[in-house]
Amino acid sequence: MRLITLKLTLLAGLATATSLPASTSYVRRERRDLHPDLQLVKKDRVPHDTMVPVNIVLTQRNLKQGHELLSEISDPTSSRFGQHYSREEVRDMFAPHQGVVNSVSDWLHSSGLDSERHSISSSQQIISFVATAAELEKLLQSEFNIYTRAGSANEHIGCDDYHVPSHVHPHIDFITPAIDTVAVVKRGTGDKATSVGYLRPIQRKLKGFPPHITNNGSGLNSESLSDCDVYVTPECIRALYNIPLNQESTQCADGNELGIFEMADYYDQEDNNMFFANFTKIPKDTKPRLISIDGGMAPIEGEPVGYESLLDMQLAYPIIYPQGVALYQVDDQYWSNAATGFGNTFLDALDESYCTYQGGDNSTMDPNYPDTHAHPPFGYNGTRMCGTYKPTNIITVSYGLGEFVWSRAYTARQCHEYMKLALAGITVVYASGDSGVASRQGCLDREPPFGPPFAPDFPATCPYVLSVGATMIEPGNSVTDPEVVANLPHEEEFASGGGFSNNWGRPQYQNDAVEYWYANHRPNYTEGTYNISGRGYPDVAAVGWNISTVTNGGALTNGGTSASAPIVASMLTRINEMRLAAGKSTVGFVNPTFYKHPEIFNDITIGNNPGCNTPGFQAVEKWDPASGLGTLDFKKLLDLYMRLP
């Protein structure tokens, strides 16, 4: 008998209060969305006598109730608006129920996996057992195969779909090995599976621009608005969105730093200093507070300059200063490049309960600590951080991939966590992507009516984050002219991301806006090209092209929705500053308020976001899946939130 050691995670769905009777009716739980760019190659069938260790992870209860409570405290017309929950209250709200454990255990026992063969973790969230491949195939009514990925000889085990009895289906989120394949390590070889990191910042090519910059800023008139269509300076951004300088702030609210997420990308202080000198009055050596997560370090001597980190900071500081930046530098140098998963170690460090929620991280996709591949300072030899840091009030993230890259359960676990952060008053802002109605990995390998070929981005499609698209100033226009949807297909292959989720249904807060769009501006696409019942994105937009930066000692322009997200996040940080000074709560989950108050936006009605060999979606009056609700007017935004309780 061949023995293979696997690291597996099997997630279970919504918990209920009682154990349910057994059922012989099976339903599909998950199916793989095939895509040629991922180049997942199916090889041999897994031998039936292969021993496979499995973990069944049970979901927490009250997810529906959590959604309802969040809707209540984020509705600007509610008497409970802004009454956020404590981290402890949020944690206790979602504890799993014993009835679900019993239901899944009874199913395993009736399937021939005696109770002596499976165990339950101390957290009551994981049921573990070892089964032969034959037993697993019978249990899940599936075929398990060996897979490889492009550029790697490592073997993974999984399946293309699987089924579970209808009475346990509501409890199960996902199973691994299944849609999420897991690495195979043959016992006794000492080999370790390696993976290739393919998640990168959403960023565009850079190009130099005319102004001559100097160390002391003497070579540039940074206050000029005459060339904002060529290079967008901090003054251009202030003029576009009616943002005053933050000079009235003599002290900064404690804990109100803007949180910026970075991974495998490192800022350079000398570049920031040169940017401050040429474009702002911010003092030299102003730098972020480093929040090192699992060995994340920045800056790092000898590492290539990180375009994403510099872009984020050089956009944020001119808006929020003298408030500061908290830099979430995530993962050590090995894992930040090697992991094929995303986001879990970051969320672990903010919420202790997330480390075990639905069985914890996926050990074959997410980083494993202590890091056995590298030694300090390149590798982190400590244990994984769990609840080590209190989240900042606003967090901006400019990273993402196609929704289909990971299983629905893998992404749902994170999306649920963003709901929990929102319950605690934390606002999470994500860039919407740079590939129009496609993703960075292209379009789905299917055609209507078999499924939508448009490929939305994650995490921007999670209904509990604020998704930000990109606009641009057309050549020859000024800051007083209407912006247009960022779309440069011939020059840079960049179009602002937008569309509809294939994983999450449309949230109530945007129902009226999407229904109006569909009734009045429905595009002429074959039914099934996109999922009209899904969560529409982006929610808002901001300028994201020809952004002035200093990189490697030179003036460059950069862009992408990764520029737009920190602009919006910085504006919200300023709003929180004023609300906290007035004794009010943080803005928290802003989406319901935004959709109820379209008057605070500059409507974008020009442009489109092509992809998948289509024009994508057209910007029109009111909300649309190219520009969202439009761009924010800061003074209107401030007036609204200072009137709210």
Side-chain angles (χ1 to χ4, degrees), residues 62-71 93-94 419 423:
N62 294 330
L63 289 174
K64 182 178 179 181
Q65 181 187 7
H67 172 84
E68 294 170 350
L69 292 174
L70 177 60
S71 299
M93 190 183 299
F94 300 99
M419 177 185 70
L423 282 165

Side-chain angles (χ1 to χ4, degrees), residues 527-559:
E527 184 177 357
T529 301
Y530 60 94
N531 179 25
I532 185 57
S533 64
R535 186 267 207 261
Y537 79 110
D539 301 303
V540 302
V543 65
W545 187 247
N546 284 337
I547 305 298
S548 301
T549 62
V550 174
T551 307
N552 284 320
L556 301 170
T557 56
N558 200 348

